[in-house]
Amino acid sequence: MPENPNQPRDDDAVLGGDSQPPTYAVVLGGLEGVKRRFASTVESQRILALNDAFNYGESGLDFVIQALQDESTGVKRAAYSLLLTKTETKAYTALEKFNHYQFFECLRTLKEHSNFISSVAIAPTGKIIVSGSGDMTIRVWYVERNWCLRTLFGHRSYVTSVAITPDCKTIVSGSCDHTIKVWERVTGDCLHTLQGHSGSVDSVAITPDGKTIVSGSSDNTIKVWDISTGESLATFSGHSDRVDSLAIAPDGKTIVSGSYDKTIKVWDILTGESLATFSGHSDRVDSLAIAQERTLETDLGAVKSVAIAPDGKTIVSASYDNTIKVWDIMTGECLRTLKGHSNFVLCVAIAPDGKTIVSSSSDKTIKVWDILTGECKGTFSGHSITVISVAITPDGRTIVSGGGDNTMKVWGMR
């Protein structure tokens, strides 16, 4: 006869006798024993019971999955961590639906920069962070360490944007000094200095094959460069104001740009043809007081950041109008507008699962959103002033932010 997993086994312990109060005289065996211990009012005992649940097959797995809905944050965290060790489809499905961002906290604060951090990028391996700063330097860090691996010197003004190639060997930076620099990551050597823009280089991006750089500038243009030679391949014109952000589709054929002219444009990288223009960000903000505080030079509808989902079908944009918009790249339809930040939204990133948006804002917070529903799944506070840039690791388990307080913060679960 098959063994019943809910019944005590021969080697299970029994708690009872005169040494314990009669109310605790229960059999600590089988899944029923696990459930009795889980009913304890002591959180540590409940977590220990969860650890034992996996000894009882699929029923035990189901029990741990149910614990994801527990009222105790500690129990939910323990259940989540335990399920990460399992390979069953049921466990994977439960984790996929679960909001693990509720457990995120600041794991470390990196303080080597002496001025604001304008841009952060995470290598595809998820192990290396690159940061650009108003102190005119680029720094390279390990995600899991508190110290800087190396500092790259060479720009003569603020570094505005950084990117790293898919093979993690090369860093690209843009600067207010009108140049783009190409660096060897390991040695820190500057391989090329690219000149051609007549204004600040506000954004840089690298194609998925690692062979091409795309840059956007305050001269209102987009340029395409050969990363190995530094040769300028093409210039795209069409925006009527500075191009502050760029993203490249996973197929490497499409560029998306965001501009202070309040539009997002989609381009064919080979022909330079403008395929579509999306409009929707505006000068309207929910708070009149905030609007009155801002200078006349500030264009409230400016698009500050754009990102493309891994499937290449969805664009996300962030604006000075305090909102994030989600767009269908084929139709140009605005699928939803995400509201929750109380000030400028300066940067957006999309998690590799294509389901999660991370945003940073002048309201000093980082927010995590469900891209399909627009639900805010978490808000992180810790920077003392504006959060300028944000990025997320490929596994979605770590977020990195750069602030106007000269610090970079790493967020995740302990």
Side-chain angles (χ1 to χ4, degrees), residues 187-313:
T187 65
D189 293 338
C190 181
L191 305 176
H192 304 290
T193 297
L194 316 183
Q195 302 184 65
H197 283 295
S198 60
S200 168
V201 179
D202 293 340
S203 51
V204 293
I206 301 170
T207 52
D209 63 8
K211 297 179 179 179
T212 306
I213 301 167
V214 180
S215 59
S217 171
S218 64
D219 66 11
N220 306 354
T221 70
I222 298 164
K223 288 185 178 290
V224 181
W225 313 79
D226 184 299
I227 197 169
S228 62
T229 66
E231 178 187 1
S232 177
L233 304 176
T235 300
F236 305 161
S237 299
H239 282 295
S240 60
D241 208 332
R242 69 190 311 144
V243 182
D244 208 54
S245 56
L246 292 167
I248 301 174
D251 63 7
K253 298 177 181 179
T254 306
I255 301 169
V256 173
S257 57
S259 169
Y260 271 49
D261 66 12
K262 308 176 194 176
T263 70
I264 297 115
K265 287 184 178 289
V266 181
W267 310 80
D268 184 305
I269 196 170
L270 296 178
T271 66
E273 178 186 2
S274 178
L275 304 176
T277 300
F278 306 157
S279 301
H281 287 290
S282 73
D283 289 341
R284 295 190 300 274
V285 292
D286 292 336
S287 170
L288 179 61
I290 290 175
Q292 290 173 337
E293 287 176 4
R294 295 172 180 171
T295 63
L296 294 176
E297 297 86 33
T298 300
D299 190 336
L300 295 182
V303 179
K304 285 295 296 177
S305 180
V306 291
I308 305 177
D311 63 5
K313 297 178 180 179

Side-chain angles (χ1 to χ4, degrees), residues 111-130:
K111 300 180 178 181
E112 296 289 333
H113 282 294
S114 61
N115 208 330
F116 64 86
I117 297 175
S118 57
S119 180
V120 293
I122 300 175
T125 61
K127 303 295 185 183
I128 298 292
I129 307 169
V130 178

Side-chain angles (χ1 to χ4, degrees), residues 122-400:
I122 300 175
T125 61
K127 303 295 185 183
I128 298 292
I129 307 169
V130 178
S131 57
S133 171
D135 65 13
M136 299 184 285
T137 70
I138 299 103
R139 291 181 182 267
V140 183
W141 318 73
Y142 275 130
V143 170
E144 298 179 352
R145 297 289 184 271
N146 287 331
W147 42 270
C148 176
L149 288 171
R150 62 189 49 83
T151 302
L152 312 182
F153 298 92
H155 282 295
R156 293 182 293 176
S157 188
Y158 299 158
V159 177
T160 57
S161 183
V162 292
I164 187 166
T165 53
D167 63 7
C168 303
K169 295 180 179 179
T170 307
I171 294 168
V172 174
S173 59
S175 170
C176 288
D177 65 11
H178 301 190
T179 71
I180 300 152
K181 289 185 180 289
V182 182
W183 311 81
E184 208 285 321
R185 181 184 67 82
V186 174
T187 65
D189 293 338
C190 181
L191 305 176
H192 304 290
T193 297
L194 316 183
Q195 302 184 65
H197 283 295
S198 60
S200 168
V201 179
D202 293 340
S203 51
V204 293
I206 301 170
T207 52
D209 63 8
K211 297 179 179 179
T212 306
I213 301 167
V214 180
S215 59
S217 171
S218 64
D219 66 11
N220 306 354
T221 70
I222 298 164
K223 288 185 178 290
V224 181
W225 313 79
D226 184 299
I227 197 169
S228 62
T229 66
E231 178 187 1
S232 177
L233 304 176
T235 300
F236 305 161
S237 299
H239 282 295
S240 60
D241 208 332
R242 69 190 311 144
V243 182
D244 208 54
S245 56
L246 292 167
I248 301 174
D251 63 7
K253 298 177 181 179
T254 306
I255 301 169
V256 173
S257 57
S259 169
Y260 271 49
D261 66 12
K262 308 176 194 176
T263 70
I264 297 115
K265 287 184 178 289
V266 181
W267 310 80
D268 184 305
I269 196 170
L270 296 178
T271 66
E273 178 186 2
S274 178
L275 304 176
T277 300
F278 306 157
S279 301
H281 287 290
S282 73
D283 289 341
R284 295 190 300 274
V285 292
D286 292 336
S287 170
L288 179 61
I290 290 175
Q292 290 173 337
E293 287 176 4
R294 295 172 180 171
T295 63
L296 294 176
E297 297 86 33
T298 300
D299 190 336
L300 295 182
V303 179
K304 285 295 296 177
S305 180
V306 291
I308 305 177
D311 63 5
K313 297 178 180 179
T314 306
I315 298 170
V316 175
S317 60
S319 171
Y320 273 156
D321 66 7
N322 301 5
T323 72
I324 300 158
K325 290 184 180 290
V326 182
W327 310 81
D328 184 304
I329 197 170
M330 296 302 296
T331 66
E333 177 187 3
C334 180
L335 303 176
R336 60 195 57 85
T337 299
L338 313 184
K339 297 181 179 181
H341 282 296
S342 61
N343 211 317
F344 301 151
V345 187
L346 300 179
C347 188
V348 286
I350 302 177
D353 64 5
K355 299 176 182 179
T356 305
I357 301 167
V358 182
S359 60
S360 65
S361 169
S362 293
D363 66 10
K364 309 177 190 178
T365 70
I366 298 105
K367 287 183 179 289
V368 180
W369 313 79
D370 186 303
I371 198 171
L372 295 178
T373 66
E375 174 192 4
C376 182
K377 301 170 71 175
T379 300
F380 314 141
S381 300
H383 286 284
S384 60
I385 55 175
T386 296
V387 189
I388 300 172
S389 185
V390 70
I392 186 166
T393 53
D395 62 8
R397 296 180 190 170
T398 306
I399 291 171
V400 178

